Amino acid sequence: DIQMTQSPSTLSASVGDRVTITCRASQSISNWLAWYQQKPGKAPKLLIYKASSLENGVPSRFSGSGSGTDFTLTINSLQPDDFATYYCQQYTTYSLTFGQGTTVEIK
Amino acid sequence: EVQLVESGGGLVQPGGSLRLSCEASGFTFSSNAVSWVRQAPGKGLEWVSGFSGSIGSGGNPYYADSVKGRFTISRDNSMNTLFLQMNSLRAEDTAVYYCAKPISGGQTAFDVWGRGTMVTVSS
């Protein structure tokens, strides 16, 4: 199985900050990568697919980049609603695999 | 409205069985490879099982190694429902089980999720 490693595990930030989360795959996944946001007690929400395509309705302050094994999720001007846990997921092959998650908390 | 609704969760003893259902509405269920994803309490997301390939007349089922040989995925297109038969349950299967619909174009990133159903394996 392809292993997905996110860093950092936890990130403390303030409203208005620019935040970057990285995700590394154990082998090349081309650009078959998605990013999700999850809040406590809720189902995940798709933010980005195909590494850099913004899902409909997701604010443009979210962006994704990368290909091969290294990927980045960037949140420009962090908003109060953005404090949550973020997961990357590869879908180049079964088994589909997720990163362990990055929690963005209020500084 | 596109919607997925899971049911069938509950408390079961180790070694027991449970069958989860996921009822879909608002989209062409037979053309979409809906998957099961779970989340243990306080932990991250884990893909459990799904179909790939041509969905209308079948498609191959795939499983995470952690459930292979114990869980079976199936679907009833006439009922727009996905199932997960879970046998030989273990404490580590305790989780919220979500069903999730992939985005269009054959990409298995998930744009619609159910609210989940809780499975607790405990004596």
Side-chain angles (χ1 to χ4, degrees):
Chain A
D1 292 0
I2 298 174
Q3 307 303 314
M4 307 300 293
T5 303
Q6 289 181 232
S7 61
S9 296
T10 306
L11 187 160
S12 296
S14 302
V15 172
D17 284 353
R18 183 172 186 258
V19 165
T20 299
I21 299 169
T22 64
C23 178
R24 175 165 288 176
S26 60
Q27 65 189 72
S28 177
I29 58 170
S30 183
N31 59 353
W32 302 117
L33 184 100
W35 289 98
Y36 300 87
Q37 177 194 69
Q38 188 180 32
K39 296 182 179 179
K42 301 293 187 181
K45 173 186 175 183
L46 179 65
L47 301 174
I48 302 282
Y49 63 94
K50 211 172 179 183
S52 60
S53 296
L54 193 67
E55 171 69 349
N56 289 339
V58 174
S60 58
R61 63 180 179 273
F62 291 92
S63 64
S65 65
S67 66
T69 60
D70 294 313
F71 301 86
T72 299
L73 173 71
T74 299
I75 312 172
N76 283 304
S77 188
L78 197 67
Q79 298 300 300
D81 191 49
D82 301 337
F83 292 97
T85 300
Y86 294 84
Y87 295 93
C88 61
Q89 176 225 330
Q90 68 80 18
Y91 55 98
T92 189
T93 184
Y94 286 97
S95 298
L96 309 178
T97 45
F98 291 86
Q100 80 278 16
T102 295
T103 299
V104 177
E105 55 183 32
I106 300 173
K107 183 185 285 184
Chain B
E1 180 190 7
V2 177
Q3 197 171 7
L4 298 168
V5 179
E6 303 93 340
S7 61
L11 174 64
V12 61
Q13 292 187 336
S17 298
L18 215 52
R19 189 195 198 202
L20 305 184
S21 300
C22 168
E23 185 171 352
S25 59
F27 65 99
T28 307
F29 176 74
S30 60
S31 300
N32 281 271
V34 178
S35 273
W36 290 99
V37 177
R38 69 183 181 184
Q39 187 169 37
K43 303 297 184 183
L45 300 169
E46 180 188 19
W47 175 82
V48 173
S49 181
F51 287 99
S52 73
S54 174
I55 297 304
S57 59
N60 296 320
Y62 286 85
Y63 301 93
D65 287 344
S66 58
V67 306
K68 203 171 293 182
R70 301 187 298 122
F71 290 11
T72 303
I73 192 172
S74 62
R75 60 193 295 150
D76 185 333
N77 290 335
S78 67
M79 296 173 56
N80 290 337
T81 302
L82 184 75
F83 301 100
L84 186 68
Q85 178 66 43
M86 305 186 297
N87 298 330
S88 302
L89 283 162
R90 306 167 180 167
E92 55 264 36
D93 295 318
T94 294
V96 174
Y97 285 73
Y98 296 101
C99 55
K101 170 195 159 296
I103 62 176
S104 60
Q107 299 182 59
T108 36
F110 302 111
D111 63 347
V112 178
W113 296 65
R115 297 179 69 174
T117 187
M118 183 70 204
V119 172
T120 303
V121 184
S122 174
S123 56

